[in-house]
Amino acid sequence: MRIALDAMGGDFAPEAIIDGAILATQRLKDDITIVLVGKKDVIHSYLKKKDFNSSRIAIVHADEVISMGEHPTKALTQKPNSSISVGYYLLKTKEVGAFCSAGNTGAMMVGAMFSVKAVEGVIRPCIANLLPKLNGSTGIFLDVGANADCKPEVLEQFGEIGYTYAKYVLGIKNPKVGLMNLGEEEGKGTVLTQAAHQLLKGNKNINFIGNVEGRDLFNDKADVVVCDGFTGNVILKMAESIYDIMASKNMSDPFFDRFNYEAVGGSPILGVNGNVVIGHGVSSPLAIANMLDLASSLVRANISEHFKEIYSA
């Protein structure tokens, strides 16, 4: 298995990214090769400085970099040899099984849409995030930022996408799907959530259990929580802040430690023709290593092919 990693993307690139790749070689299975994409001389020089020489890491040259503040579409058009563009080329041509980056999130999303493209039948690809559960298990909620405004049929599809991910990646036999709302009752919510509820309720391909509230995120009521990207992003940032506040007060708890972005390392873009993971801009080496681990689980689950099977039927 080969996983491409944008060596130039992130606030602390390339050092933190390369350190994360080195750490990953110590943690991931021996059949995984990490392909660092970026300026070859810079990457090679840093690996030499770290006295690292292993076939577990390969280098593919890309002489341009898309910075965090650049306009995504313009940058991808004007910089065809950027590390993000080259990473997507490797994914599109199947030279790698997944592509990861802690770089410009917008460029990663636009690159996914215009390079590997959405799976035929998917209305809107989305970004998902894992949910730590109080019972020790893991759930998923989506979307967390790609689609701030959604139509009812898009939320219904998020339910299908999340159900599929939970089944094949998280290993949950018949995942419970809930719709984030301001009340459990069927008639509660906005025009959007009321219409989405009816679509999800009538969908025979998923195990829809009805509305869930914010207090249900971390219990076992639902394995998959569906929401629009605006709501999901607010939830994600709030959860991250809880960990930050506890850390600032020198408080530690095994459950809340799972709120740390480093614990998972990234969020997958689901619904595209390939395995893509976006990392936090401030990603540390540990976060990068865990992002690569997440990417490997997507490849092993063959998740993008499962989406194709669903929507080609």
Side-chain angles (χ1 to χ4, degrees):
M1 181 191 306
R2 287 163 60 88
I3 300 174
L5 174 63
D6 175 10
M8 316 309 291
D11 294 344
F12 305 115
E15 294 84 0
I17 310 302
I18 300 173
D19 284 339
I22 294 172
L23 179 60
T25 63
Q26 301 164 8
R27 295 182 166 206
L28 303 184
K29 293 183 178 181
D30 292 341
D31 66 339
I32 296 175
T33 298
I34 300 164
V35 181
L36 291 174
V37 184
K39 297 181 178 181
K40 188 173 184 178
D41 56 341
V42 174
I43 298 170
H44 182 74
S45 176
Y46 190 76
L47 288 173
K48 186 176 181 180
K49 177 182 175 182
K50 301 292 288 189
D51 195 27
F52 183 85
N53 183 20
S54 169
S55 59
R56 297 286 305 281
I57 288 182
I59 303 172
V60 171
H61 180 64
D63 56 16
E64 296 177 310
V65 179
I66 295 177
S67 65
M68 300 298 271
E70 288 190 74
H71 187 281
T73 306
K74 287 183 179 179
L76 285 167
T77 302
Q78 296 169 359
K79 296 182 176 180
N81 295 317
S82 68
S83 52
I84 289 180
S85 297
V86 173
Y88 271 120
Y89 174 79
L90 295 175
L91 183 62
K92 183 178 181 180
T93 57
K94 301 189 184 302
E95 294 178 55
V96 297
F99 176 43
C100 305
S101 176
N104 187 308
T105 300
M108 283 296 290
M109 196 68 200
V110 172
M113 292 298 294
F114 289 96
S115 179
V116 292
K117 296 184 170 57
V119 169
E120 186 175 355
V122 170
I123 305 168
R124 296 260 192 100
C126 56
I127 303 175
N129 206 78
L130 297 183
L131 276 174
K133 298 291 186 175
L134 286 164
N135 63 7
S137 66
T138 300
I140 185 176
F141 72 114
L142 63 169
D143 181 27
V144 297
N147 305 282
D149 295 305
C150 295
K151 293 182 178 180
E153 55 267 30
V154 173
L155 291 183
E156 179 194 15
Q157 199 167 76
F158 288 170
E160 294 176 332
I161 290 172
Y163 178 91
T164 304
Y165 184 97
K167 181 177 180 179
Y168 291 104
V169 179
L170 300 181
I172 302 172
K173 187 175 181 180
N174 188 25
K176 295 173 289 185
V177 179
L179 175 65
M180 177 54 62
N181 211 328
L182 48 75
E184 295 180 351
E185 296 83 4
E186 185 172 327
K188 286 289 184 71
T190 63
V191 172
L192 169 64
T193 55
Q194 289 179 30
H197 187 286
Q198 295 305 311
L199 292 177
L200 288 161
K201 181 181 178 181
N203 192 316
K204 304 302 181 183
N205 297 318
I206 61 174
N207 178 20
F208 181 58
I209 53 90
N211 292 332
V212 295
E213 299 179 275
R215 63 186 175 186
D216 298 314
L217 278 170
F218 308 114
N219 61 32
D220 60 358
K221 185 172 182 179
D223 302 301
V224 178
V225 175
V226 174
C227 55
D228 60 80
F230 183 94
T231 303
N233 194 264
V234 171
I235 292 171
L236 175 62
K237 299 296 173 58
M238 184 195 69
E240 288 180 347
S241 75
I242 291 173
Y243 173 80
D244 292 338
I245 292 169
M246 292 186 67
S248 71
K249 294 181 176 294
N250 296 316
M251 299 170 64
S252 180
D253 177 89
F255 172 70
F256 288 107
D257 286 348
R258 296 174 69 193
F259 283 42
N260 182 2
Y261 80 93
E262 291 180 309
V264 176
S267 299
I269 299 177
L270 301 180
V272 295
N273 289 295
N275 301 301
V276 182
V277 183
I278 301 173
H280 205 297
V282 296
S283 287
S284 65
L286 177 59
I288 295 299
N290 284 330
M291 178 166 60
L292 290 165
D293 186 28
L294 173 60
S296 71
S297 70
L298 299 180
V299 178
R300 294 189 193 283
N302 210 16
I303 188 64
S304 61
E305 292 302 316
H306 287 297
F307 292 139
K308 292 177 187 177
E309 290 171 5
I310 292 171
Y311 295 110
S312 65

